[in-house]
Amino acid sequence: MTRTDFQPSRRSDVAPFIAMDVLAEAAKLEAAGRRIIHMEVGQPSAPAPSAALAAARAALDNGRLGYTEALGIAPLRQALAGHYKRTYGVDVPVGRIMATTGSSAGFNLAFLSAFDPGDRVVLTAPGYPAYRNILKALGLVPVEIEVGAETRWSLTPDLLDKAQADGPVKGVLVASPANPTGTMMTAEALEDLVRYCDDAGIWFISDEIYHGLDYADGQKTALETSQNVIIINSFSKYYCMTGWRIGWMVLPKQLVRPTERIAQSLYISPPELSQIAATAALGSVQELEAVKAVYAANRDLLLGGLPGIGLDRLLPVDGAFYIYADISRFSTDSLAFARQMLHEAGVAATPGVDFDPVHGHDYLRFSFAGAHDDMKEALGRLAEFLS
């Protein structure tokens, strides 16, 4: 007799990450011989910086790689402190910097160290789907607030006031530049929101993984306003190191030891090889700015070309490498539309319902992190598909 009471946990019942499902379907078509242009995932097409690769090779030649302290190796943390001083003029003590196994581990650690089960955490919609999925899996309550053109697609203190009326908010998570939109908060809007959270005793988590990828020289770190914020960043985007799974956090002093204790049990430490490579990557600005120039050219190409083929309702693209396009004149089912586009045009994009379960059926996210020639080809294919 087969038992039927071995069931998955209720906490595991989270929505799929649709971008990864699209990637898997695209891979099947490629395996069958189709040429697919990938605009579904936010993954740089460039390799890791040459200095990072050289440092990794040298570490491999030396033989032994092992555990490191849970906070990360000292050279990486020291280099990150220097990065904040050079880039933002902010002094960050090395003791408040923690290396993580990608930004994904950073979110897990932040949620576990700052919140208790049942706490309400505000997110924006549209927004990165893994935020809400991780929060739900950890027994927290994601509170998604719709943002729109009237606030330049940004969260405001007024919107937070309204959310507080429904119950106390313990945390706010904001990304600038944002995923899926690429839109950035103005310096004033970011400062106002951080100060609101400081005054209200609300943890402010700043997702800054697209820092470096701005096209108007307007990026600000939340650390410029408060030392109570939790910063999460990654080497995946600007530094082109997605597969290395290495990121970092800047923590308020009172969260350093709690977060370290949790990390010791969950991860032991980030991969030493990736930490060594990441340390070298921080000095590769000239090489990485050349990669960013390709993104900027791709952005100009698509912003100039998409309106001419019917995709003329686009959110502000201030940074990152995404365009969030309104497709409602063609379809109000972004999931079906993205699948049709993949199979007929050979262009993979992510349905907006991944980022906004309510209004995302009217949107697609296009990543322009690929090669410039691929973006040109994609624009031609989309023109034919939409005609």
Side-chain angles (χ1 to χ4, degrees):
M1 180 177 176
T2 302
R3 295 194 57 154
T4 60
D5 53 354
F6 293 103
Q7 300 296 324
S9 69
R10 289 189 298 274
R11 73 172 64 226
S12 70
D13 185 21
V14 298
F17 194 171
I18 298 174
M20 303 310 295
D21 288 346
V22 175
L23 177 64
E25 189 165 357
K28 291 178 183 177
L29 292 175
E30 287 177 315
R34 291 282 304 278
R35 168 165 162 72
I36 304 299
I37 300 177
H38 291 275
M39 302 180 76
E40 77 277 37
V41 290
Q43 176 163 262
S45 58
S50 55
L53 296 174
R57 291 189 186 100
L60 289 171
D61 288 342
N62 287 335
R64 185 180 179 278
L65 293 167
Y67 298 136
T68 73
E69 58 178 302
L71 292 174
I73 61 174
L76 175 57
R77 297 166 68 206
Q78 291 163 356
L80 285 167
H83 164 75
Y84 279 96
K85 184 65 174 178
R86 288 190 310 273
T87 306
Y88 307 102
V90 176
D91 290 310
V92 179
V94 172
R96 289 175 48 205
I97 298 173
M98 179 178 191
T100 61
T101 308
S103 63
S104 299
F107 291 118
N108 277 285
L109 291 169
F111 297 160
L112 286 166
S113 63
F115 307 122
D116 290 313
D119 282 352
R120 301 171 79 239
V121 181
V122 165
L123 314 171
T124 61
Y128 181 52
Y131 298 153
R132 78 174 99 91
N133 290 343
I134 296 171
L135 287 167
K136 287 180 179 178
L138 294 178
L140 303 169
V141 181
V143 180
E144 295 185 87
I145 296 179
E146 289 285 345
V147 293
E150 65 279 2
T151 63
R152 204 173 181 278
W153 305 92
S154 297
L155 192 63
T156 66
D158 286 344
L159 290 171
L160 268 182
D161 271 339
K162 294 176 182 176
Q164 293 263 64
D166 295 328
V169 168
K170 295 297 182 70
V172 169
L173 197 169
V174 166
S176 178
N179 178 8
T181 64
T183 304
M184 293 172 63
M185 298 183 74
T186 66
E188 295 78 13
L190 178 61
E191 182 176 346
D192 287 347
L193 193 61
V194 173
R195 292 197 186 283
Y196 175 99
C197 290
D198 253 16
D199 292 343
I202 296 171
W203 287 114
F204 187 90
I205 303 174
S206 186
D207 178 352
E208 300 183 358
I209 70 172
Y210 293 101
H211 272 216
L213 299 177
D214 65 295
Y215 307 104
D217 298 322
Q219 71 177 17
K220 296 286 184 180
T221 176
L223 286 167
E224 295 176 64
T225 301
S226 171
Q227 296 304 303
N228 294 318
V229 297
I230 301 168
I231 304 294
I232 297 178
N233 210 321
S234 171
F235 286 90
S236 291
K237 309 302 182 178
Y238 180 74
Y239 296 95
C240 304
M241 296 178 69
T242 52
W244 297 78
R245 308 312 303 133
I246 186 71
W248 76 89
M249 306 173 74
V250 180
L251 292 159
K253 184 178 179 181
Q254 63 270 38
L255 286 186
V256 173
R257 182 55 178 161
T259 307
E260 180 184 22
R261 291 196 303 261
I262 296 168
Q264 288 170 339
S265 292
L266 284 182
Y267 307 107
I268 300 181
S269 67
E272 185 181 16
L273 183 66
S274 297
Q275 293 185 65
I276 292 168
T279 306
L282 285 166
S284 303
V285 173
Q286 184 175 354
E287 185 177 344
L288 293 166
E289 285 296 303
V291 176
K292 178 181 171 181
V294 176
Y295 303 152
N298 292 347
R299 172 181 178 268
D300 291 344
L301 173 73
L302 294 172
L303 290 180
L306 289 175
I309 62 174
L311 297 176
D312 56 355
R313 294 191 290 273
L314 310 172
L315 274 64
V317 187
D318 308 313
F321 33 55
Y322 303 118
I323 290 177
Y324 200 55
D326 186 331
I327 60 162
S328 58
R329 70 171 56 180
F330 300 104
S331 173
T332 56
D333 184 347
S334 61
L335 193 62
F337 187 79
R339 193 169 194 277
Q340 182 183 4
M341 189 174 74
L342 172 62
H343 284 264
E344 295 183 12
V347 176
T350 303
V353 289
D354 213 10
F355 313 102
D356 184 349
V358 178
H359 300 293
H361 50 267
D362 287 338
Y363 290 88
L364 286 183
R365 187 196 73 176
F366 295 93
S367 168
F368 54 83
H372 193 61
D373 286 346
D374 285 351
M375 298 301 103
K376 287 182 179 179
E377 184 179 349
L379 193 58
R381 291 187 183 195
L382 290 172
E384 183 177 351
F385 173 70
L386 296 174
S387 63

